Amino acid sequence: MEEKKDYKNTLLMPETEFSMKANLAEKEVMYNAKWLENQIYQQLLKRNANHESFILHDGPPYANGNIHAGHALNKILKDIIVRFRTMQGFYSPFVPGWDTHGLPIEHKMLSEAKKNAKDFSAVELRKQAAAYALSQVEKQKEQFKRLSLLTDFSEIYVTLDKKFEAKQLKLFQKMLNEGLIYKDLKPIYWSPSSQSALAEAEVEYADHVSPSLYVGFEVSKETEHIKKGDYLLIWTTTPWTLIANSGVAINADFDYVLVKANNKRYVVAKDLLETVAQVAKWEEFEVIANLKGKEILEAKYISPINKMECPVVEGHHVTLENGTGLVHMAPLFGEDDFIIGNKNNLVKIMHVEDDGMLNDKALQFANVFYDDANPLVGKFLEENGLLVAFKKIKHSYPHDWRTHLPIMYRATPQWFVSLKPIKEEIQKALNTVQTYNDWSKKRLALMLENRETWCISRQRTWGVPIIIFYDKNKQPVIDNEIFDYVINLVEQFGSDVWYERSADELLPEKFRNLGFTKETDIMDVWFDSGSTSIGVEPGNVKAPFDLYLEGSDQYRGWFNSSLINSVAWRAKSPFKALLSHGFVLDGKGQKMSKSKGNTIDPLDVVNKYGSDILRLWAANSEYTADVTIDDKILLQTVEIYRKIRNTFKFMLGALSDYDFKDVEVSSIHALMLERINNLETRILNNYEQYRFVNVIKDINNFIIDFSSYYISITKDILYLEKVNNPERRQVQYIFSQLILMLSKALAPILPTTAEDIYTYFNIPLKEISVHMLPFIKGHAFSDDLETKWAPFFELKEEVYRLIEEKIKNQTMKRQNEAHVIINTDSEWIKSLPLTKLLMVAKVSFGNETKVEKLDSVKCLRCWNHFEKNNFDEKLEICNRCKEVINE
């Protein structure tokens, strides 16, 4: 039996060492080492040093604990932007920063040391906290390096740096000089568990069960209708504040009633009577008189616990939403209480210490934790016949975001920034900022619009001290000579100097021995991080910076404090443009938590798949909203990656004998070039708008389409024609253009893969790295060829459908056996090499479009089917293949 002829050696098969298997985890280590060794980042900075700068200023993450998926999303998005701007030629140093002061660091240090704050002197505690913070910076820095960021971390910033602290204190001095900073007794969020004031951004709301009490306050001074021994009925969910009660507020315009129930007479708002009667379980009650709010203002009553005679006052905050229409006032325990208390000279009683314990002013309730006093107060009121009703209610209540324990409103002496004088300037500055959607600017404007003051003092030790001295009469001394002197010391020795030296040692000579004392409070950490546009100059570039990009929680955090501080410092926004991303949730859209076991550790993903997969997930996310991640989503990401990689492998293999000379393209190849140029323009536009999800979508869709059609039809040309066949060179030219364009376009997102592709892309005059290449360019959009070729693709779809039917009903086995008869009047379609473009055996023209099986023989070299007249029966190959072999 005659042996089958083998023509395998006559084929021009693809050849490349670019592997199908990505091995990203290993390759990343290799390429990272190469980038460091060749100082790619520093080379790029040097190359672009005299160009226009583009600074993406890194908002400082907290130096505490391992990085999580949110950190990874944030740093990857930033890195994509820094990389593409750098490739565009901008001078774009990236200086990562860390927030290093504040309670969480102090807490963590103490819990790891298994000690309490009181076990340390202030200086010792600060030294320990600083050491802990810096160890966390090192740990996170090493973890961030695993994300393949375009920075060598040679320049970073930390908020505990003495030069940074000095700049921050210069800002404080300027704000003080301009009358923006003042000290005042004011109710603020106070956390007994942290023993510190909290900013609004440090408050979270959670369900809490509170006692709901309806209490009668006995009238001591009569009015026309209200008699001694009647009761003003109030409602409260914080019984412990009744100890400090010194007034009752009503609304002068509301209608009230005097009602008799259970042989007692109560004053209550008319509209709330039914609800109150229900809660108090009054089976029978009688309205004795209708009153206007104004009349009640003339009454006085005896406060139930402190026994003071107290007035009834007008309150802007009294509503008919719930309660009784009469509101009990404890001026030091509520914002409205405080304002109304000041206006009406109500007595101010502070009966709660910093740790939440009640002091001697709480009388018989002293030495009890404030929350534990609630049942005791309730019992006292009941025993004295003043408790009208009691129930428990579940409601949303403010908690400390770090200890997750309830907080209170409590008036303490604090330092504040007044925003009123610069409100207009802030708004003006915000108007200059570019955002990429309408709601970003609105959201920030709204946050600032509703903010009158900012409490910047904290009762802790670990932070930047508020460098104020008090004279012997306890009055703050505001003197620039003193500030300059202290700031100079901080610049030399760091802010520990405030704790290491006595007041006199910190003062210029002429102020010594005058009995001055030091402020012990530190600054809110948001003031630290809000000062970064003043204290940080990436690559010696000063703010305003080009872009801030952080999580959406930073509208009330870093975006907010940065804008306030920058306007106070330079009357400008610190950012020219603003971008935000959502939170990272699990695959079901739920918050990640260790207790739920649904966390995804970014470093686990990097170890398993490589950072390029994590980066592709980030780029392929609609990051402006919350984004999801789980194993299933990561596997889908791997699939997208695999398709991209395999297409590159094929194209690189096809270029093994290419000479990289420019070629004039025609026919389908010219159409492909038009498509590549249009794709490049779309990708560039999406990069400029930071729409990375569209970059990936467009590339992925293009590659699927390109592989399924163009690569399929060109295999025949690549493998079977002569090396220098002009059409073969056109295909190679198209591949080379696509590889070059896409390796640049993907470099910011997939740095390792792009470098890997470029390593095996044997283009002449290669750069040392793909990242040294200029970025993609835009082209004038053209769809001339797309329009011209549209009829062909309509025809192709119809023909493929007919072939599919034939294969399904087993009239023929494969596409390349088909004889296609086409009904067309188009001379242009008739002029095309349709056999090749449709990948069929024969094309002819008739008065209907149909498909038949061709009576044919199969070429052993190209595996296409031919009629016998186009075939060498002896060699068992087609005439085209015979001609190529003979050459």
Side-chain angles (χ1 to χ4, degrees):
M1 191 177 136
E2 195 184 338
E3 202 180 306
K4 271 257 187 227
K5 295 182 178 66
D6 186 1
Y7 290 103
K8 217 184 285 170
N9 295 339
T10 69
L11 305 179
L12 298 169
M13 295 307 283
E15 273 178 53
T16 179
E17 285 177 23
F18 179 78
S19 62
M20 182 97 78
K21 204 169 182 322
N23 277 340
L24 284 172
E26 291 160 37
K27 283 206 175 119
E28 268 155 17
V29 177
M30 180 182 90
Y31 283 124
N32 269 309
K34 180 188 158 185
W35 295 328
L36 278 173
E37 190 189 327
N38 293 310
Q39 295 193 316
I40 297 300
Y41 174 62
Q42 298 298 343
Q43 276 201 55
L44 285 164
L45 289 184
K46 206 164 144 191
R47 185 186 76 187
N48 296 347
N50 299 322
H51 298 180
E52 192 185 336
S53 65
F54 183 95
I55 305 294
L56 193 162
H57 178 45
D58 188 34
Y62 221 69
N64 191 11
N66 293 320
I67 68 168
H68 52 67
H71 285 125
L73 176 72
N74 178 264
K75 281 289 192 283
I76 289 167
L77 292 173
K78 287 174 179 171
D79 189 59
I80 293 171
I81 295 168
V82 170
R83 282 179 180 276
F84 100 79
R85 291 298 188 197
T86 300
M87 287 177 81
Q88 280 185 321
F90 288 97
Y91 176 62
S92 197
F94 183 68
V95 177
W98 278 269
D99 222 340
T100 49
H101 290 132
L103 194 57
I105 285 170
E106 191 180 315
H107 258 335
K108 203 72 202 253
M109 179 277 288
L110 291 170
S111 73
E112 286 195 6
K114 297 190 171 52
K115 293 199 171 175
N116 294 314
K118 46 184 174 293
D119 299 333
F120 294 96
S121 71
V123 174
E124 279 170 349
L125 187 139
R126 287 175 61 84
K127 300 267 188 239
Q128 294 288 331
Y132 175 79
L134 291 173
S135 75
Q136 296 300 299
V137 168
E138 284 311 307
K139 179 162 123 186
Q140 289 189 1
K141 192 201 287 184
E142 289 311 307
Q143 293 176 345
F144 282 137
K145 283 179 182 175
R146 301 289 311 281
L147 304 177
S148 302
L149 307 179
L150 181 70
T151 176
D152 58 8
F153 291 89
S154 57
E155 194 186 342
I156 66 164
Y157 75 88
V158 286
T159 55
L160 59 72
D161 176 75
K162 54 193 181 189
K163 296 238 178 332
F164 185 96
E165 291 178 330
K167 281 270 178 70
Q168 181 176 332
L169 290 169
K170 279 177 184 160
L171 167 68
F172 177 74
Q173 178 185 5
K174 185 174 197 281
M175 288 166 98
L176 207 54
N177 283 333
E178 288 174 10
L180 296 177
I181 288 178
Y182 63 98
K183 191 174 193 181
D184 197 5
L185 183 72
K186 196 164 184 243
I188 38 133
Y189 287 120
W190 181 267
S191 169
S193 52
S194 295
Q195 291 190 41
S196 181
L198 297 184
E200 206 143 327
E202 298 168 309
V203 174
E204 61 183 18
Y205 284 81
D207 281 346
H208 183 67
V209 176
S210 297
S212 163
L213 270 58
Y214 290 77
V215 183
F217 287 2
E218 193 174 337
V219 173
S220 59
K221 183 187 169 209
E222 310 190 336
T223 72
E224 189 187 339
H225 294 104
I226 305 166
K227 304 294 169 220
K228 263 186 179 179
D230 288 350
Y231 294 92
L232 305 176
L233 189 60
I234 67 96
W235 171 67
T236 182
T237 57
T238 52
W240 60 270
T241 60
L242 290 172
I243 300 165
N245 168 266
S246 61
V248 163
I250 56 102
N251 187 312
D253 299 326
F254 287 175
D255 291 321
Y256 289 83
V257 290
L258 186 63
V259 60
K260 187 175 182 185
N262 297 341
N263 294 321
K264 287 184 178 174
R265 297 174 7 141
Y266 298 98
V267 176
V268 62
K270 190 176 184 178
D271 290 2
L272 291 164
L273 177 58
E274 289 297 329
T275 324
V276 170
Q278 243 175 333
V279 176
K281 300 191 172 71
W282 290 339
E283 283 166 25
E284 284 179 22
F285 59 89
E286 175 196 351
V287 173
I288 293 164
N290 285 295
L291 318 164
K292 268 281 174 221
K294 285 188 184 70
E295 184 190 331
I296 313 171
L297 286 173
E298 294 159 26
K300 284 194 174 168
Y301 69 94
I302 301 297
S303 189
I305 297 169
N306 60 49
K307 302 297 183 213
M308 294 190 303
E309 186 175 56
C310 306
V312 178
V313 297
E314 211 170 329
H316 61 265
H317 66 315
V318 182
T319 70
L320 296 169
E321 273 172 44
N322 42 36
T324 64
L326 296 94
V327 176
H328 118 77
M329 310 290 288
L332 296 183
F333 296 96
E335 199 161 5
D336 295 314
D337 299 43
F338 187 75
I339 295 164
I340 296 159
N342 279 347
K343 201 169 155 188
N344 294 282
N345 289 322
L346 299 182
V347 177
K348 296 184 173 101
I349 300 170
M350 175 49 71
H351 65 301
V352 185
E353 293 298 309
D354 290 357
D355 58 0
M357 297 300 285
L358 302 189
N359 60 27
D360 293 347
K361 289 180 183 158
L363 307 167
Q364 69 266 39
F365 303 106
N367 303 318
V368 174
F369 187 62
Y370 80 101
D371 206 31
D372 298 336
N374 283 336
L376 304 177
V377 169
K379 191 170 175 238
F380 170 84
L381 295 169
E382 192 173 17
E383 285 168 357
N384 286 276
L386 302 173
L387 187 64
V388 175
F390 163 79
K391 64 175 184 172
K392 286 194 157 130
I393 59 163
K394 192 179 189 180
H395 60 149
S396 180
Y397 193 82
H399 285 63
D400 183 328
W401 74 336
R402 296 192 180 101
T403 61
H404 308 297
L405 291 168
I407 60 176
M408 60 169 82
Y409 246 116
R410 175 174 182 258
T412 53
Q414 300 289 347
W415 287 95
F416 293 90
V417 173
S418 171
L419 301 180
K420 265 190 187 152
I422 54 170
K423 264 279 171 78
E424 232 170 273
E425 271 187 287
I426 291 173
Q427 199 46 61
K428 220 184 279 175
L430 191 53
N431 290 342
T432 67
V433 175
Q434 182 186 1
T435 54
Y436 297 86
N437 48 49
D438 293 337
W439 55 262
S440 288
K441 202 178 283 191
K442 275 187 199 139
R443 192 166 170 185
L444 192 51
L446 205 66
M447 293 268 174
L448 288 154
E449 198 181 301
N450 297 330
R451 238 184 138 169
E452 293 298 319
T453 58
W454 170 15
C455 173
I456 60 162
S457 47
R458 294 290 180 273
Q459 292 63 49
R460 306 301 303 178
T461 308
W462 176 231
V464 177
I466 291 177
I467 52 166
I468 296 277
F469 292 93
Y470 297 93
D471 63 20
K472 58 179 189 297
N473 301 321
K474 301 275 177 279
Q475 291 307 304
V477 182
I478 308 299
D479 188 302
N480 280 323
E481 194 184 333
I482 296 176
F483 284 128
D484 293 342
Y485 191 81
V486 174
I487 291 169
N488 187 34
L489 287 174
V490 169
E491 200 162 0
Q492 284 179 67
F493 305 107
S495 60
D496 279 358
V497 76
W498 186 258
Y499 298 85
E500 289 164 343
R501 300 188 186 186
S502 68
D504 280 345
E505 287 170 319
L506 291 163
L507 285 160
E509 211 159 320
K510 70 179 190 196
F511 295 99
R512 291 174 193 167
N513 304 316
L514 300 174
F516 282 16
T517 53
K518 293 183 284 185
E519 172 61 82
T520 56
D521 285 359
I522 59 162
M523 286 196 207
D524 172 17
V525 288
W526 291 109
F527 197 95
D528 294 14
S529 63
S531 309
T532 60
S533 79
I534 295 135
V536 181
E537 293 176 3
N540 295 321
V541 179
K542 288 180 165 60
F545 299 124
D546 295 276
L547 185 65
Y548 276 27
L549 163 55
E550 299 300 328
S552 51
D553 54 337
Q554 296 308 323
Y555 286 96
R556 67 176 192 165
W558 190 58
F559 294 159
N560 205 308
S561 64
S562 297
L563 187 61
I564 295 166
N565 285 1
S566 179
V567 168
W569 180 255
R570 62 172 76 83
K572 276 183 187 164
S573 165
F575 39 83
K576 296 175 194 170
L578 188 67
L579 202 56
S580 65
H581 60 77
F583 291 98
V584 181
L585 308 172
D586 73 4
K588 292 181 182 138
Q590 292 178 333
K591 203 174 167 185
M592 289 191 192
S593 72
K594 285 192 177 114
S595 58
K596 278 189 200 159
N598 64 345
T599 56
I600 293 270
D601 183 338
L603 299 177
D604 288 347
V605 178
V606 171
N607 289 335
K608 186 175 177 182
Y609 298 112
S611 70
D612 271 15
I613 297 299
L614 192 64
R615 293 174 68 99
L616 183 56
W617 159 78
N620 199 29
S621 299
E622 276 286 2
Y623 66 79
T624 53
D626 291 343
V627 301
T628 53
I629 188 169
D630 63 8
D631 291 334
K632 195 172 147 204
I633 290 163
L634 286 167
L635 285 173
Q636 288 164 351
T637 307
V638 168
E639 272 315 302
I640 294 171
Y641 176 84
R642 204 170 274 150
K643 183 74 188 162
I644 293 171
R645 187 174 185 95
N646 289 351
T647 306
F648 272 110
K649 179 173 169 61
F650 178 81
M651 292 194 294
L652 287 168
L655 297 182
S656 57
D657 56 38
Y658 185 48
D659 52 13
F660 287 94
K661 289 196 174 102
D662 277 357
V663 174
E664 193 68 47
V665 285
S666 59
S667 185
I668 191 87
H669 316 294
L671 171 65
M672 288 305 137
L673 190 60
E674 180 183 270
R675 283 183 180 178
I676 291 168
N677 288 341
N678 289 343
L679 173 66
E680 185 170 4
T681 305
R682 278 202 311 279
I683 293 172
L684 181 65
N685 290 341
N686 282 319
Y687 262 111
E688 293 283 2
Q689 292 295 312
Y690 308 122
R691 300 283 300 145
F692 311 126
V693 65
N694 288 358
V695 171
I696 298 302
K697 194 164 85 184
D698 284 349
I699 291 175
N700 191 37
N701 289 346
F702 184 92
I703 278 179
I704 289 169
D705 189 57
F706 188 79
S707 303
S708 68
Y709 181 65
Y710 185 72
I711 284 182
S712 297
I713 63 164
T714 56
K715 280 178 180 169
D716 189 272
I717 303 165
L718 288 165
Y719 300 173
L720 299 146
E721 296 292 0
K722 297 173 208 161
V723 173
N724 284 323
N725 172 284
E727 193 170 23
R728 190 169 181 274
R729 290 303 191 207
Q730 285 188 60
V731 175
Q732 289 177 317
Y733 176 74
I734 293 298
F735 284 3
S736 69
Q737 293 303 298
L738 185 57
I739 291 171
L740 187 61
M741 189 275 280
L742 283 185
S743 51
K744 290 181 196 177
L746 287 168
I749 296 169
L750 306 174
T752 299
T753 303
E755 193 70 286
D756 202 17
I757 291 162
Y758 192 64
T759 303
Y760 295 100
F761 184 46
N762 300 319
I763 194 165
L765 305 172
K766 265 172 86 161
E767 289 283 359
I768 193 165
S769 162
V770 70
H771 304 291
M772 303 292 290
L773 292 175
F775 200 55
I776 57 172
K777 300 277 189 284
H779 301 265
F781 183 80
S782 160
D783 60 358
D784 297 352
L785 293 176
E786 200 65 66
T787 308
K788 185 179 178 184
W789 278 79
F792 164 75
F793 284 102
E794 278 169 35
L795 172 70
K796 173 178 130 344
E797 289 311 309
E798 190 186 352
V799 167
Y800 277 22
R801 188 177 49 76
L802 294 171
I803 290 172
E804 198 60 44
E805 280 171 19
K806 294 282 181 196
I807 292 171
K808 234 184 207 160
N809 63 30
Q810 297 182 337
T811 313
M812 60 191 196
K813 279 187 185 163
R814 42 189 85 73
Q815 185 173 326
N816 66 1
E817 296 177 274
H819 172 203
V820 181
I821 297 102
I822 295 170
N823 174 21
T824 180
D825 296 331
S826 165
E827 289 306 318
W828 179 72
I829 281 191
K830 287 179 182 173
S831 74
L832 294 173
L834 291 169
T835 312
K836 188 185 291 176
L837 292 175
L838 294 170
M839 292 182 285
V840 294
K842 183 181 179 182
V843 173
S844 43
F845 301 98
N847 50 14
E848 68 167 313
T849 300
K850 57 181 183 178
V851 168
E852 296 167 351
K853 182 182 175 184
L854 186 71
D855 183 14
S856 62
V857 279
K858 181 177 165 186
C859 169
L860 288 186
R861 183 168 178 269
C862 67
W863 291 17
N864 289 329
H865 286 251
F866 297 90
E867 291 171 303
K868 284 187 176 153
N869 62 357
N870 199 3
F871 197 78
D872 184 313
E873 287 188 54
K874 190 176 164 214
L875 295 172
E876 295 182 65
I877 55 174
C878 66
N879 292 344
R880 187 264 311 251
C881 285
K882 183 178 170 183
E883 191 191 328
V884 172
I885 287 173
N886 287 345
E887 286 238 344

